[in-house]
Amino acid sequence: TQQSLSKIESKIQHIVSRNGISGKGYSNEFLIYPKFEIYDESIIEGMRNIVVIEVEFNLFIQQYSTKRVFSSYNKSLKGTGYSKEKAIIDAISKISYSDRKLKEFITTAKEKILSYYQNNCDQIIGDSDALIKTKKYGQAVALLSSIPREAKECYARIQNKSIEAYNAYQEQKCSQNILKAKAQ
């Protein structure tokens, strides 16, 4: 249900923010997404029936453009409640922020992502040059600004290119606004 999805989203936000990364709604090259699968459901009969579910909770960090998975996490959980929805929410509540494997999952992804930027810096700069030449300045700025500060060598290399792309973007917008003003 929407409530379950909201709880999973909230858990993921807490997990990533506690581990030094966070973002929601940003256009970025990397994303984190869950898979929550129920693989067993039973009912314990009594004065009030109790639903017991067994689920598998998976998290993946993936590169958007290539679909390459940089890290994955898996945990089996059991939830109980007076309804299937309550049992699902109980299982979600058992996802622990302090799980050592979750921290390793995030750390592994960070290391691989930083390595990706260091190893592909020339390609990223080349792609931004192509975008600048075709006057797609906004896309060039977005591409260059996606490089994290922690990718020190690459980040230092793209600073001048970022300024060049941003200034060209500003000039383009300014020219467009002048034309609109003249048309008025």
Side-chain angles (χ1 to χ4, degrees):
T1 65
Q2 192 60 39
Q3 183 182 14
S4 299
L5 290 173
S6 178
K7 290 208 178 287
I8 289 174
E9 182 181 3
S10 178
K11 284 280 185 179
I12 293 170
Q13 281 295 320
H14 281 83
I15 289 165
V16 296
S17 63
R18 284 180 180 224
N19 287 284
I21 57 174
S22 188
K24 182 178 175 184
Y26 295 100
S27 60
N28 203 326
E29 182 63 4
F30 295 92
L31 56 96
I32 185 169
Y33 69 92
K35 277 197 173 182
F36 190 84
E37 298 179 67
I38 299 171
Y39 60 88
D40 192 27
E41 179 181 347
S42 59
I43 297 175
I44 299 173
E45 294 183 15
M47 291 192 59
R48 192 161 179 199
N49 291 347
I50 296 176
V51 177
V52 178
I53 61 161
E54 292 182 41
V55 301
E56 188 163 288
F57 176 68
N58 299 286
L59 284 176
F60 302 93
I61 294 180
Q62 181 181 52
Q63 185 176 16
Y64 179 74
S65 62
T66 65
K67 307 298 184 230
R68 178 180 166 204
V69 174
F70 278 70
S71 189
S72 63
Y73 168 83
N74 172 284
K75 179 109 176 156
S76 293
L77 303 164
K78 190 179 274 194
T80 60
Y82 294 121
S83 67
K84 183 177 181 179
E85 180 59 26
K86 297 283 186 195
I88 290 170
I89 289 171
D90 182 54
I92 293 168
S93 72
K94 293 179 179 170
I95 301 166
S96 173
Y97 304 125
S98 58
D99 184 342
R100 179 186 53 78
K101 285 178 66 181
L102 265 174
K103 188 168 182 68
E104 288 172 11
F105 158 73
I106 298 288
T107 302
T108 298
K110 279 184 187 178
E111 290 169 1
K112 287 181 179 180
I113 289 168
L114 290 176
S115 177
Y116 164 82
Y117 281 115
Q118 296 295 47
N119 295 334
N120 293 288
C121 194
D122 290 335
Q123 178 65 43
I124 294 167
I125 291 171
D127 291 347
S128 70
D129 282 336
L131 289 167
I132 290 169
K133 285 178 185 166
T134 58
K135 299 184 188 289
K136 296 178 182 173
Y137 305 118
Q139 290 177 352
V141 169
L143 175 63
L144 294 167
S145 65
S146 71
I147 297 171
R149 202 176 289 263
E150 292 82 6
K152 292 179 171 100
E153 291 173 27
C154 188
Y155 187 80
R157 289 179 56 200
I158 59 104
Q159 289 307 297
N160 288 337
K161 186 66 60 186
S162 294
I163 292 168
E164 175 189 338
Y166 184 73
N167 287 341
Y169 175 75
Q170 289 289 79
E171 277 186 40
Q172 184 182 51
K173 284 294 180 192
C174 185
S175 294
Q176 289 171 352
N177 287 339
I178 289 172
L179 285 175
K180 284 180 186 176
K182 285 181 179 179
Q184 289 292 332

